[in-house]
Amino acid sequence: MSRVLVGVKRVIDYAVKIRVKPDKSGVVTDGVKHSMNPFDEIAIEEAVRLKEKKLASEVIAVSCGPAQSQETLRTALAMGADRAIHVEVGASEFNTMQPIHVSKILAKLAQDEKADIVIVGKQAIDDDSNQTAQMTAAMLDWPQGTFASKVEKTDAGLTVTREIDGGLETIKTKLPAVISADLRLNEPRYATLPNIMKAKKKPLKKVTAKDLGVDLTPRIKVVSVEDPPVRQAGSIIPDVDTLVAKLKEGGHI
Amino acid sequence: MVASMLRSSTADINFTCKLCAAAVSLLLGRIGRWSGREIACSALSLARSALAERDNESCFFLRRLQSTLVIAEHNNEVLLPVTQNTLSAAKKIGGDVSVLIAGTKCTPAAEAISKAGGVSKVLVAESDVFKGFTAETLTPLILASQKQFKFTHILAPATAFGKSVLPRVAAKLDVSPITDIIGIKDANTFVRTIYAGNAILTLEAKDPVKVITVRGTAFPPLPLEGGSAATEKAPEGDFKTDLVEWLSQELSKSDRPELTSAKAIVSGGRGLKSGDNFKLLYDLADKLNAAVGASRAAVDAGFVPNDLQIGQTGKIVAPDLYIAVGISGAIQHLAGMKDSKTIVAINKDPEAPIFQVADYGLVADLFKAVPELTSKL
């Protein structure tokens, strides 16, 4: 029976049209709807399914961030995680926190909690880094099953189907291992009201990065955050003939 | 390179002079016994010597210290074109460019890349150990190469391959990797997109080694001609691992151009209603010699395989012509295609967000418009 550690991040909701701050220091997050990173919902779902199949003994959800990250952890608990660890990071430190810091925290917790499988989403939809799983695996010297669309537990380890550029590939990893979830891994469940109520009573431990011996010194300096160039407005054309003419004009045919 | 540095430093001196003059006019009021001219001269000479020192440092930095390793992506048969885009990015950083080719069969890729202009060295690591290009075997190889040659930059394409391997390398070097760059300001300053392409982040990396994945569509491909780089064996070591075993691959077969490097793309969404209806797009694509892509909705509905998905979590494309058929244009889809040169949208919903980025929008039923377009081409 494995113990599963799942990393979850609180991000601006995927449907929100973000706004860049006028001083170019970042994007506006105050008063903006946040929710769990969609890939992390998939990671939690996969961990809970492993538990339901009696392949995992315990699911531990971890989030690094300011106080509001606890809401995200409660969501994970409502989806079926057994307990949660909140790694408290102040708002200003959180701004410069990067996957390298998070992966050091996850690696330390994976060892402390004696986890056999670490599952995270393949990328957070805010920084779009796609690094945390790979870096956590490296810190631990564990194998990595990135961009997983299917995970099967076998006696010796895991069989992971990965989404790669030309199609799919299948690898076999030893345990312990780190997995990153792609969109197609599963369909995350909704937390029901009774489960949300129950989640309030589940244990949530608070620690700091310092407790875990992880240094959060920034590795990058944000020079600017700006709006992307705006495309010039196009035109609505009346029929296919006009489209053919326009394509000819543009040298496309 | 040095010449351009000198030019820019001349401009700096002019600028410094203006500043000095301003400072001098302030000082003149207070210190009567110094003539303005003397102060201006001494200030100028100070500025000059400071600049000269900085130039010396920069030249030294560029000539002696700056060196980039590009991890080539190939499939044991051919070099993948995105490697050429990555080489362009490497050349933009400046300094020496080396390429590492690892796999079970490296000769075709090594031969191709040694012809690329401006590549100084091609390191080849051919072994059965690298079957499946697993990150667990490539990471120690890259680390061994890094240990021997002390590169300042390690680059790979931002593909499934590059994204899987480079963060593992970065963690081992205790540096923060930089994903999917679209621009290079200088050797330490890079541009990338965040929030599904809705914001552009310019960042300065503070780590001594920069580990970077490069967005292919943001850099032109470097032609594989005009060079004659020496090929040598990559550092040897025990790169075998029992952590992971590569079992098999299931690649989607297609005679059409590869999605990320195609000049034209025809892409379908939920509006196609079924996988069978995608045939309409294949017919159109054949006329245009285009690749076929899809939105997440079309992939999730099972119309087409996942590797055709274009968007924030799929492939990023920037063809000359992108024809979006039955695609509403969600933020996540736009992230993957809005740098296309010409965007055409065919959708029956005039309110669809795709029309806000389309150069030419046709409000029509795709089941009529697409066959008509195909027949008229």
Side-chain angles (χ1 to χ4, degrees), chain B residues 65-111:
Chain B
L65 291 180
Q66 199 95 315
S67 63
T68 300
L69 177 68
V70 172
I71 317 297
E73 182 164 359
H74 68 120
N75 59 9
N76 292 316
E77 284 167 19
V78 291
L79 182 74
L80 296 193
V82 70
T83 306
Q84 291 169 254
N85 307 84
T86 311
L87 282 172
S88 283
K91 287 190 80 170
K92 199 160 181 209
I93 290 168
D96 222 31
V97 178
S98 305
V99 180
L100 174 65
I101 298 171
T104 53
K105 191 163 168 276
C106 300
T107 317
E111 277 177 3

Side-chain angles (χ1 to χ4, degrees), chain A residues 53-103:
Chain A
K53 284 186 228 156
K54 312 260 181 249
L55 297 170
S57 55
E58 191 182 28
V59 176
I60 309 162
V62 180
S63 191
C64 308
Q68 297 95 318
S69 300
Q70 288 182 22
E71 299 158 14
T72 307
L73 286 170
R74 289 291 170 200
T75 309
L77 292 169
M79 286 175 73
D82 297 292
R83 58 190 172 94
I85 301 172
H86 174 212
V87 183
E88 289 183 281
V89 179
S92 66
E93 267 181 319
F94 187 63
N95 278 339
T96 55
M97 197 176 187
Q98 288 189 280
I100 188 169
H101 305 118
V102 177
S103 56

Side-chain angles (χ1 to χ4, degrees), chain A residues 104 122 126 128-129 131 134 141 144 165 168 170 172 174 184 219 221 223-224 226 231 237, chain B residues 136 163 172 174 179 192 195 200 202 204 243 245 247-248 250 309 312-313 315 338 340 361:
Chain A
K104 282 182 178 178
K122 86 161 175 181
D126 51 2
D128 283 333
S129 286
Q131 298 168 351
Q134 298 88 313
D141 265 318
Q144 61 186 52
D165 290 334
L168 298 169
T170 309
K172 206 163 81 183
K174 273 197 163 179
R184 247 83 43 191
R219 304 300 191 92
K221 183 180 138 199
V223 177
S224 69
E226 292 169 66
R231 282 190 80 93
I237 49 172
Chain B
E136 291 80 351
K163 284 181 177 172
K172 287 288 180 195
D174 193 23
T179 298
R192 58 183 300 266
Y195 289 95
I200 311 270
T202 304
E204 194 185 310
L243 292 177
E245 187 192 342
L247 296 180
S248 64
E250 244 181 277
Q309 187 187 327
Q312 182 184 21
T313 66
K315 294 198 170 67
K338 67 179 177 187
S340 306

Side-chain angles (χ1 to χ4, degrees), chain A residues 4-217:
Chain A
V4 187
L5 190 77
V6 185
V8 293
K9 184 177 186 184
R10 177 178 176 267
V11 298
I12 292 183
D13 190 84
Y14 74 94
V16 171
K17 176 92 181 75
I18 58 122
R19 279 185 302 129
V20 169
K21 286 184 190 166
D23 68 357
K24 296 185 180 179
S25 65
V27 306
V28 178
T29 55
D30 288 346
V32 175
K33 186 186 175 196
H34 282 66
S35 50
M36 189 191 292
N37 180 40
F39 289 95
D40 302 346
E41 287 184 13
I42 296 169
I44 281 281
E45 175 67 33
E46 194 65 18
V48 173
R49 286 186 191 188
L50 281 172
K51 194 181 169 195
E52 288 169 345
K53 284 186 228 156
K54 312 260 181 249
L55 297 170
S57 55
E58 191 182 28
V59 176
I60 309 162
V62 180
S63 191
C64 308
Q68 297 95 318
S69 300
Q70 288 182 22
E71 299 158 14
T72 307
L73 286 170
R74 289 291 170 200
T75 309
L77 292 169
M79 286 175 73
D82 297 292
R83 58 190 172 94
I85 301 172
H86 174 212
V87 183
E88 289 183 281
V89 179
S92 66
E93 267 181 319
F94 187 63
N95 278 339
T96 55
M97 197 176 187
Q98 288 189 280
I100 188 169
H101 305 118
V102 177
S103 56
K104 282 182 178 178
I105 289 169
L106 289 179
K108 180 70 170 56
L109 286 173
Q111 283 169 327
D112 290 355
E113 303 290 339
K114 298 189 174 53
D116 307 283
I117 305 177
V118 174
I119 312 182
V120 296
K122 86 161 175 181
Q123 76 193 61
I125 59 162
D126 51 2
D127 66 17
D128 283 333
S129 286
N130 195 331
Q131 298 168 351
T132 303
Q134 298 88 313
M135 299 188 84
T136 306
M139 308 270 180
L140 291 161
D141 265 318
W142 291 3
Q144 61 186 52
T146 45
F147 326 144
S149 60
K150 194 172 169 196
V151 178
E152 282 173 305
K153 194 160 179 300
T154 58
D155 292 339
L158 299 172
T159 304
V160 181
T161 304
R162 303 182 55 226
E163 295 203 9
I164 55 168
D165 290 334
L168 298 169
E169 74 173 23
T170 309
I171 58 167
K172 206 163 81 183
T173 76
K174 273 197 163 179
L175 282 177
V178 180
I179 300 295
S180 80
D182 214 320
L183 281 174
R184 247 83 43 191
L185 184 57
N186 59 48
E187 186 82 32
R189 71 192 66 190
Y190 287 104
T192 58
L193 189 59
N195 284 343
I196 293 171
M197 298 311 286
K198 270 186 230 161
K200 289 185 178 166
K201 296 201 181 84
K202 288 185 179 176
L204 190 153
K205 189 169 85 177
K206 284 194 265 183
V207 295
T208 64
K210 209 174 156 197
D211 295 339
L212 301 169
V214 175
D215 176 14
L216 297 183
T217 306

Side-chain angles (χ1 to χ4, degrees), chain B residues 335-370:
Chain B
M337 46 65 77
K338 67 179 177 187
D339 290 329
S340 306
K341 284 205 186 72
T342 302
I343 298 175
V344 174
I346 302 176
N347 202 308
K348 65 179 177 195
D349 174 12
E351 304 296 321
I354 191 80
F355 287 119
Q356 288 162 23
V357 299
D359 298 280
Y360 305 115
L362 183 61
V363 182
D365 179 3
L366 71 93
F367 293 103
K368 283 187 192 127
V370 173

